[in-house]
């Protein structure tokens, strides 16, 4: 029987545009965070920009793009780690901030507690 470790996390923000071509992006340096937020600010409408989070040693930021089935956004209920694989337990919902017909997967910025390293992300409905 394999052991799965539950990871404490904070769902920071859902972006309705593409920030990475991959399914996920681990942000391990302030330079990478600044680069990602440069794209966010470029694609954001309005006068105010969201603040750029500081990358510190006991936290891991990750940008994930879960596949959509029947909605325009997802809610992350739980995150666990097992053998270099990060499992996201998700539930679909309609986000009123996104176009209802949007079929593009949201780019979700997550802050994980701890220095988490993994090679793959699997979403579970």
């Amino acid at each position: 029987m394999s052991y799965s470790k539950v990871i404490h996390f904070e769902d920071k923000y859902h972006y309705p545009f593409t920030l990475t071509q991959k399914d996920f992006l681990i942000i391990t340096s302030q330079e990478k965070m600044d680069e990602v937020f440069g794209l966010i600010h470029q694609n954001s409408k309005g006068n105010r920009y969201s603040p750029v989070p500081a990358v510190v040693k006991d936290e891991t930021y990750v940008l994930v793009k879960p596949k959509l089935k029947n909605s325009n956004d997802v809610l992350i209920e739980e995150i666990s780690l097992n053998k270099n694989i990060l499992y996201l337990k998700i539930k679909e919902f309609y986000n009123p901030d996104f176009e209802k017909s949007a079929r593009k997967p949201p780019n979700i910025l997550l802050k994980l507690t701890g220095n988490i390293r993994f090679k793959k992300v699997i979403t579970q409905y």
Side-chain angles (χ1 to χ4, degrees):
M1 191 169 119
S2 61
Y3 171 71
S4 224
K5 178 186 175 196
V6 174
I7 306 294
H8 295 284
F9 71 97
E10 224 178 288
D11 189 331
K12 299 303 275 180
Y13 202 79
H14 294 221
Y15 299 99
F17 43 81
T18 300
L19 294 168
T20 177
Q21 297 305 317
K22 303 178 210 143
D23 287 340
F24 68 95
L25 173 69
I26 302 171
I27 302 170
T28 56
S29 68
Q30 193 62 49
E31 292 77 28
K32 192 66 169 169
M33 184 66 82
D34 293 345
E35 188 180 309
V36 167
F37 267 77
L39 289 171
I40 291 167
H41 294 160
Q42 213 172 41
N43 287 290
S44 296
K45 295 167 179 64
N47 299 338
R48 295 189 53 191
Y49 291 133
S50 48
V52 179
V55 178
V56 296
K57 68 177 180 172
D58 289 335
E59 297 170 345
T60 303
Y61 281 91
V62 62
L63 200 55
V64 295
K65 287 178 22 177
K67 304 275 186 271
L68 295 175
K69 288 185 176 181
N70 299 312
S71 68
N72 68 352
D73 203 356
V74 295
L75 175 70
I76 298 175
E77 296 182 314
E78 184 181 274
I79 298 178
S80 60
L81 181 69
N82 187 358
K83 296 183 182 171
N84 285 334
I85 300 174
L86 196 68
Y87 291 92
L88 306 179
K89 185 177 176 196
I90 60 177
K91 186 168 97 178
E92 292 188 301
F93 78 100
Y94 277 100
N95 186 336
D97 295 336
F98 294 179
E99 284 182 40
K100 194 168 184 145
S101 61
R103 300 302 301 147
K104 203 188 298 182
N107 284 238
I108 304 171
L109 181 63
L110 301 170
K111 179 169 86 171
L112 310 179
T113 303
N115 194 0
I116 312 298
R117 295 289 168 249
F118 50 92
K119 303 251 185 269
K120 187 175 179 182
V121 173
I122 295 179
T123 54
Q124 302 171 314
Y125 284 87

